[in-house]
Amino acid sequence: SVRDCLLGLGIRNAVNVPSVDSEVLKLIQPYIRLAERMGTLQTQITEGRLKEVRICYAGDLTRFELAPATQAFIKGLLTPILQETVNYVNASVIAKERGIKVIESKSAEAQDFANLILAVVETDRMKSEVQGTLFTRSEPRIVQIDDYHMEINPDGHLLLYKNVDKPGMLAKVGSELAADQVNIAGLALG
């Protein structure tokens, strides 16, 4: 079982990790990656003590066991804010120890996309929502943050900001970044 896991042939008979067939793992691996990046993003755009996480999977992907994606989301959510090591095995345990309620649900209906991951994080100060999907079955995209629709590739470094929607704001931000030798590889407006 350990050899198979290390070779990417699936996880079986583990006490603290959901069992996933190797073929299913290949299909859901991009969603696991997306979920982790969504968690990492979401922890950085929320303020306050984490109270509850609701993750809803919608569309065709609901026919698979998605607990590994939920664990990846929690790992992504907790890693940037904790000094202790968070991994796929201990993420759920750490969340429980910290009193963070995790709710996973599935819906066969995906409204705008064939498959969608919707994550709502509630803290003692606010609530935030992030939605993600895959383009071409393997390319992760953040497609909504709170009320803002967009298309963001969650790889690499991201700079998110809110501004007044008026002429010249984008140029002003671009000039500030250029002055510090920061190259803009991609841009999305919501």
Side-chain angles (χ1 to χ4, degrees):
S1 292
V2 171
R3 178 188 57 99
D4 288 350
C5 177
L6 294 173
L7 292 173
L9 300 175
I11 300 171
R12 294 183 317 275
N13 305 321
V15 174
N16 48 8
V17 178
S19 294
V20 179
D21 178 69
S22 63
E23 292 304 311
V24 171
L25 185 61
K26 284 179 191 173
L27 293 171
I28 67 168
Q29 189 63 45
Y31 291 102
I32 293 170
R33 216 172 98 229
L34 170 63
E36 185 171 351
R37 286 189 173 94
M38 288 174 63
T40 301
L41 171 65
Q42 208 152 6
T43 201
Q44 295 177 66
I45 62 173
T46 56
E47 297 175 11
R49 187 183 59 78
L50 294 169
K51 289 173 44 179
E52 184 176 284
V53 174
R54 290 189 308 277
I55 302 172
C56 181
Y57 300 97
D60 297 335
L61 75 129
T62 59
R63 59 194 165 116
F64 301 115
E65 170 58 48
L66 295 167
T70 299
Q71 287 179 299
F73 180 86
I74 296 166
K75 177 187 180 297
L77 187 72
L78 296 176
T79 296
I81 59 175
L82 298 179
Q83 291 181 354
E84 60 191 289
T85 301
V86 183
N87 57 46
Y88 299 112
V89 175
N90 69 6
S92 295
V93 172
I94 292 172
K96 188 174 182 178
E97 287 173 349
R98 293 182 171 271
I100 303 166
K101 185 176 182 179
V102 178
I103 302 165
E104 178 186 307
S105 63
K106 295 180 179 182
S107 172
E109 292 181 32
Q111 295 175 1
D112 295 330
F113 300 94
N115 294 295
L116 187 74
I117 300 174
L118 173 120
V120 178
V121 172
E122 189 174 335
T123 72
D124 58 352
R125 295 173 59 189
M126 66 181 294
K127 187 188 303 186
S128 118
E129 179 180 308
V130 172
Q131 295 182 27
T133 191
L134 296 180
F135 288 2
T136 66
R137 299 183 192 230
S138 64
E139 296 177 34
R141 292 293 187 272
I142 304 296
V143 293
Q144 187 169 340
I145 298 175
D146 295 325
D147 295 327
Y148 297 96
H149 297 272
M150 60 196 65
E151 180 190 327
I152 299 174
N153 180 345
D155 289 329
H157 298 284
L158 300 177
L159 170 66
L160 294 175
Y161 68 93
K162 290 183 182 180
N163 63 278
V164 176
D165 189 14
K166 65 180 188 179
M169 291 304 295
L170 182 58
K172 190 176 254 186
V173 170
S175 294
E176 289 292 324
L177 292 171
D180 286 330
Q181 302 299 308
V182 175
N183 184 42
I184 300 171
L187 176 71
L189 300 173

